Coordinates of all heavy atoms in Angstrom, one line a residue:
R1 N 15.3 -18.1 -10.4 CA 15.9 -18.5 -9.3 C 16.2 -17.4 -8.3 O 16.1 -16.3 -8.7 CB 17.2 -19.3 -9.6 CG 16.9 -20.6 -10.5 CD 16.2 -21.6 -9.7 NE 16.0 -22.8 -10.4 CZ 14.9 -23.2 -11.2 NH1 13.9 -22.3 -11.2 NH2 14.8 -24.3 -11.7
A2 N 16.8 -17.7 -7.1 CA 17.1 -16.7 -6.2 C 18.1 -15.7 -6.7 O 18.0 -14.5 -6.4 CB 17.7 -17.3 -4.9
R3 N 19.1 -16.1 -7.5 CA 20.1 -15.2 -8.1 C 19.4 -14.1 -8.9 O 19.9 -13.0 -9.0 CB 21.2 -15.9 -8.8 CG 20.8 -16.6 -10.0 CD 21.9 -17.3 -10.8 NE 21.6 -18.0 -12.0 CZ 21.0 -19.2 -12.0 NH1 20.8 -19.9 -10.9 NH2 20.7 -19.8 -13.1
H4 N 18.3 -14.5 -9.7 CA 17.7 -13.6 -10.6 C 16.9 -12.5 -9.7 O 16.9 -11.3 -10.1 CB 16.7 -14.2 -11.5 CG 17.4 -15.4 -12.3 ND1 17.0 -16.6 -12.3 CD2 18.4 -15.3 -13.2 CE1 17.7 -17.3 -13.1 NE2 18.6 -16.5 -13.7
I5 N 16.4 -12.9 -8.7 CA 15.6 -12.0 -7.7 C 16.5 -11.0 -7.1 O 16.3 -9.9 -7.0 CB 14.8 -12.8 -6.7 CG1 13.7 -13.7 -7.4 CG2 14.1 -11.9 -5.8 CD1 13.1 -14.7 -6.7
K6 N 17.7 -11.6 -6.6 CA 18.7 -10.7 -6.0 C 19.3 -9.8 -7.0 O 19.5 -8.6 -6.6 CB 19.7 -11.6 -5.4 CG 19.4 -12.4 -4.2 CD 20.5 -13.2 -3.7 CE 20.1 -14.1 -2.4 NZ 21.2 -14.9 -1.9
G7 N 19.3 -10.1 -8.2 CA 19.8 -9.2 -9.3 C 18.9 -8.1 -9.4 O 19.3 -7.0 -9.7
C8 N 17.5 -8.4 -9.4 CA 16.5 -7.3 -9.6 C 16.7 -6.3 -8.4 O 16.6 -5.0 -8.6 CB 15.2 -7.8 -9.5 SG 14.7 -8.8 -10.9
M9 N 17.0 -6.8 -7.2 CA 17.1 -6.0 -6.0 C 18.3 -5.1 -6.1 O 18.3 -3.9 -5.8 CB 17.2 -6.8 -4.7 CG 15.7 -7.6 -4.5 SD 15.9 -8.8 -3.3 CE 16.4 -7.9 -1.8
T10 N 19.5 -5.7 -6.5 CA 20.8 -4.9 -6.3 C 21.2 -4.3 -7.6 O 21.9 -3.3 -7.6 CB 21.8 -5.9 -5.8 OG1 22.0 -7.0 -6.8 CG2 21.5 -6.4 -4.5
E11 N 20.8 -4.8 -8.8 CA 21.3 -4.3 -10.1 C 20.1 -3.8 -10.9 O 20.3 -3.2 -12.0 CB 22.1 -5.4 -10.8 CG 23.3 -5.9 -10.0 CD 23.9 -7.1 -10.7 OE1 23.6 -7.4 -11.9 OE2 24.7 -7.8 -10.0
G12 N 18.9 -4.0 -10.5 CA 17.7 -3.6 -11.3 C 17.6 -2.0 -11.3 O 18.0 -1.4 -10.3
Y13 N 17.1 -1.5 -12.4 CA 17.0 -0.1 -12.5 C 15.8 0.3 -13.4 O 15.2 -0.5 -14.1 CB 18.2 0.6 -13.1 CG 18.5 0.1 -14.6 CD1 17.9 0.7 -15.7 CD2 19.4 -1.0 -14.8 CE1 18.1 0.3 -17.0 CE2 19.6 -1.4 -16.1 CZ 19.0 -0.8 -17.1 OH 19.1 -1.3 -18.5
R14 N 15.4 1.5 -13.2 CA 14.4 2.1 -14.1 C 14.9 3.3 -14.7 O 16.0 3.9 -14.3 CB 13.1 2.4 -13.2 CG 13.3 3.5 -12.3 CD 12.1 3.9 -11.5 NE 12.3 5.0 -10.4 CZ 12.4 6.3 -10.7 NH1 12.2 6.7 -12.0 NH2 12.6 7.1 -9.7
I15 N 14.2 3.7 -15.8 CA 14.7 4.9 -16.5 C 13.8 6.1 -16.1 O 12.5 6.1 -16.2 CB 14.6 4.8 -18.1 CG1 15.4 3.5 -18.5 CG2 15.1 6.0 -18.8 CD1 16.9 3.7 -18.2
E16 N 14.4 7.2 -15.5 CA 13.7 8.4 -15.1 C 13.1 9.0 -16.3 O 13.6 9.2 -17.4 CB 14.6 9.3 -14.4 CG 14.0 10.6 -13.9 CD 12.9 10.3 -13.0 OE1 13.2 9.8 -11.9 OE2 11.7 10.5 -13.3
T17 N 11.8 9.3 -16.2 CA 11.0 9.8 -17.3 C 10.7 11.4 -17.2 O 10.2 11.9 -18.2 CB 9.6 9.1 -17.5 OG1 8.9 9.3 -16.3 CG2 9.9 7.6 -17.8
R18 N 11.0 11.9 -16.1 CA 10.7 13.3 -15.9 C 11.9 14.1 -15.2 O 12.8 13.5 -14.6 CB 9.4 13.4 -15.0 CG 8.2 12.8 -15.6 CD 7.0 13.0 -14.7 NE 7.1 12.4 -13.3 CZ 6.2 12.2 -12.5 NH1 4.9 12.6 -12.8 NH2 6.3 11.6 -11.3
G19 N 11.8 15.4 -15.2 CA 12.7 16.2 -14.5 C 14.2 16.3 -15.1 O 14.3 15.9 -16.2
K20 N 15.1 16.9 -14.3 CA 16.4 17.1 -14.7 C 17.2 15.8 -15.0 O 18.2 15.9 -15.7 CB 17.1 18.0 -13.8 CG 17.2 17.4 -12.4 CD 17.8 18.4 -11.4 CE 17.9 17.9 -10.0 NZ 18.5 18.9 -9.1
N21 N 16.7 14.7 -14.4 CA 17.4 13.4 -14.6 C 16.7 12.5 -15.6 O 17.0 11.3 -15.7 CB 17.5 12.7 -13.3 CG 18.4 13.4 -12.3 OD1 19.5 13.9 -12.6 ND2 18.1 13.4 -11.0
K22 N 15.9 13.1 -16.4 CA 15.1 12.4 -17.4 C 16.1 11.6 -18.4 O 17.1 12.1 -18.9 CB 14.3 13.3 -18.3 CG 13.4 12.6 -19.3 CD 12.5 13.6 -20.1 CE 11.6 12.9 -21.1 NZ 10.7 13.9 -21.8
G23 N 15.8 10.3 -18.6 CA 16.6 9.4 -19.5 C 17.7 8.7 -18.7 O 18.4 7.7 -19.2
R24 N 18.0 9.0 -17.4 CA 19.0 8.4 -16.7 C 18.5 7.1 -15.9 O 17.3 7.0 -15.6 CB 19.6 9.4 -15.6 CG 20.3 10.5 -16.3 CD 21.0 11.3 -15.2 NE 21.7 12.5 -15.7 CZ 22.4 13.4 -14.9 NH1 22.4 13.2 -13.6 NH2 23.0 14.4 -15.5
K25 N 19.5 6.2 -15.7 CA 19.2 5.0 -14.9 C 19.0 5.4 -13.5 O 19.9 6.1 -12.9 CB 20.3 3.9 -15.1 CG 20.3 3.4 -16.5 CD 21.4 2.3 -16.5 CE 21.5 1.6 -18.0 NZ 22.6 0.6 -18.0
V26 N 18.0 4.8 -12.8 CA 17.8 5.0 -11.4 C 17.8 3.6 -10.7 O 17.0 2.8 -11.0 CB 16.5 5.7 -11.1 CG1 16.4 5.9 -9.5 CG2 16.5 7.1 -11.8
Y27 N 18.8 3.4 -9.9 CA 18.9 2.1 -9.2 C 18.0 2.0 -8.0 O 17.8 3.1 -7.4 CB 20.4 1.7 -8.9 CG 21.1 1.4 -10.2 CD1 21.8 2.5 -10.8 CD2 21.1 0.1 -10.7 CE1 22.5 2.2 -12.0 CE2 21.9 -0.2 -11.9 CZ 22.5 0.9 -12.6 OH 23.2 0.6 -13.7
A28 N 17.6 0.9 -7.5 CA 16.7 0.7 -6.4 C 17.5 1.2 -5.1 O 18.4 0.4 -4.7 CB 16.2 -0.7 -6.3
P29 N 16.9 2.1 -4.3 CA 17.4 2.3 -3.0 C 17.1 1.2 -2.0 O 16.2 0.4 -2.3 CB 16.7 3.6 -2.6 CG 15.5 3.7 -3.4 CD 15.8 3.0 -4.7
P30 N 17.6 1.1 -0.8 CA 17.4 0.0 0.1 C 15.9 -0.3 0.4 O 15.5 -1.4 0.3 CB 18.1 0.5 1.4 CG 19.2 1.3 0.9 CD 18.6 2.1 -0.2
N31 N 15.1 0.8 0.7 CA 13.7 0.5 1.0 C 13.0 -0.1 -0.2 O 12.2 -0.9 0.0 CB 13.0 1.8 1.5 CG 13.1 3.0 0.5 OD1 14.0 2.9 -0.4 ND2 12.3 3.9 0.7
T32 N 13.3 0.4 -1.4 CA 12.7 -0.2 -2.6 C 13.2 -1.7 -2.9 O 12.4 -2.5 -3.3 CB 13.0 0.7 -3.9 OG1 12.6 2.0 -3.7 CG2 12.4 0.1 -5.1
Q33 N 14.5 -2.0 -2.6 CA 14.9 -3.3 -2.6 C 14.0 -4.2 -1.8 O 13.7 -5.4 -2.1 CB 16.4 -3.5 -2.2 CG 17.4 -2.7 -3.2 CD 18.8 -2.9 -2.7 OE1 19.2 -3.8 -2.1 NE2 19.6 -1.9 -3.0
A34 N 13.7 -3.8 -0.6 CA 12.8 -4.6 0.3 C 11.4 -4.8 -0.3 O 10.9 -5.8 -0.3 CB 12.7 -3.9 1.6
R35 N 10.9 -3.7 -1.0 CA 9.6 -3.8 -1.6 C 9.7 -4.8 -2.8 O 8.7 -5.5 -3.0 CB 9.2 -2.4 -2.1 CG 8.9 -1.4 -0.9 CD 8.1 -0.2 -1.4 NE 8.1 0.9 -0.4 CZ 8.7 1.9 -0.4 NH1 9.6 2.2 -1.4 NH2 8.6 2.8 0.5
I36 N 10.8 -4.8 -3.5 CA 10.9 -5.7 -4.7 C 10.8 -7.2 -4.2 O 10.0 -8.0 -4.8 CB 12.3 -5.5 -5.4 CG1 12.3 -4.1 -6.2 CG2 12.5 -6.6 -6.4 CD1 13.7 -3.7 -6.6
K37 N 11.5 -7.4 -3.2 CA 11.4 -8.8 -2.6 C 10.0 -9.1 -2.1 O 9.5 -10.2 -2.3 CB 12.4 -9.0 -1.5 CG 12.5 -10.4 -0.9 CD 13.5 -10.5 0.2 CE 13.6 -12.0 0.6 NZ 12.3 -12.7 0.9
S38 N 9.4 -8.1 -1.4 CA 8.0 -8.4 -1.0 C 7.0 -8.7 -2.1 O 6.2 -9.6 -2.0 CB 7.5 -7.1 -0.1 OG 6.3 -7.3 0.3
V39 N 7.1 -7.9 -3.1 CA 6.2 -8.1 -4.3 C 6.5 -9.5 -4.9 O 5.6 -10.2 -5.3 CB 6.4 -6.9 -5.3 CG1 5.6 -7.4 -6.7 CG2 5.9 -5.7 -4.8
L40 N 7.8 -9.8 -5.1 CA 8.1 -11.1 -5.8 C 7.7 -12.2 -4.9 O 7.5 -13.4 -5.4 CB 9.6 -11.1 -6.2 CG 9.9 -10.1 -7.3 CD1 11.4 -10.2 -7.6 CD2 9.1 -10.4 -8.6
N41 N 7.8 -12.1 -3.6 CA 7.3 -13.1 -2.6 C 5.9 -13.5 -3.0 O 5.5 -14.7 -3.1 CB 7.3 -12.6 -1.2 CG 8.7 -12.6 -0.6 OD1 9.7 -13.2 -1.1 ND2 8.8 -12.0 0.6
L42 N 5.1 -12.4 -3.1 CA 3.7 -12.7 -3.4 C 3.3 -13.2 -4.8 O 2.5 -14.1 -5.0 CB 2.8 -11.4 -3.0 CG 2.9 -10.9 -1.6 CD1 2.2 -9.5 -1.5 CD2 2.3 -11.9 -0.6
L43 N 4.1 -12.6 -5.7 CA 3.9 -13.0 -7.1 C 4.2 -14.5 -7.3 O 3.5 -15.2 -8.0 CB 4.7 -12.1 -8.0 CG 4.6 -12.3 -9.5 CD1 3.1 -12.0 -10.0 CD2 5.6 -11.3 -10.2
L44 N 5.4 -14.9 -6.7 CA 5.7 -16.3 -6.9 C 4.9 -17.2 -6.0 O 4.8 -18.4 -6.3 CB 7.2 -16.4 -6.6 CG 8.1 -15.8 -7.8 CD1 9.5 -15.7 -7.4 CD2 7.9 -16.5 -9.1
D45 N 4.3 -16.8 -4.9 CA 3.4 -17.5 -4.2 C 2.2 -17.9 -5.1 O 1.7 -19.0 -5.1 CB 2.8 -16.7 -3.0 CG 3.7 -16.8 -1.8 OD1 4.7 -17.6 -1.8 OD2 3.6 -15.9 -0.9

């Protein structure tokens, strides 16, 4: 549902695999939030 998609955008994160922040959670910046919605638009179409 919409709340799950919004959750991916605002609360979703990935785990950094390289560099000094390796192992840390990285939350989606604004431009990535827009991309998440764009991808899910097409996927659910």
Side-chain angles (χ1 to χ4, degrees):
R1 298 293 184 267
R3 66 179 182 276
H4 302 123
I5 296 164
K6 291 179 180 178
C8 292
M9 294 166 61
T10 59
E11 300 172 17
Y13 62 86
R14 64 177 178 83
I15 302 299
E16 182 58 68
T17 58
R18 300 182 296 194
K20 57 186 178 183
N21 293 322
K22 184 176 180 180
R24 292 186 182 179
K25 292 181 180 179
V26 178
Y27 291 90
N31 57 342
T32 302
Q33 291 181 31
R35 292 192 191 109
I36 291 169
K37 185 179 186 305
S38 176
V39 169
L40 292 178
N41 281 349
L42 298 174
L43 185 57
L44 291 171
D45 280 346

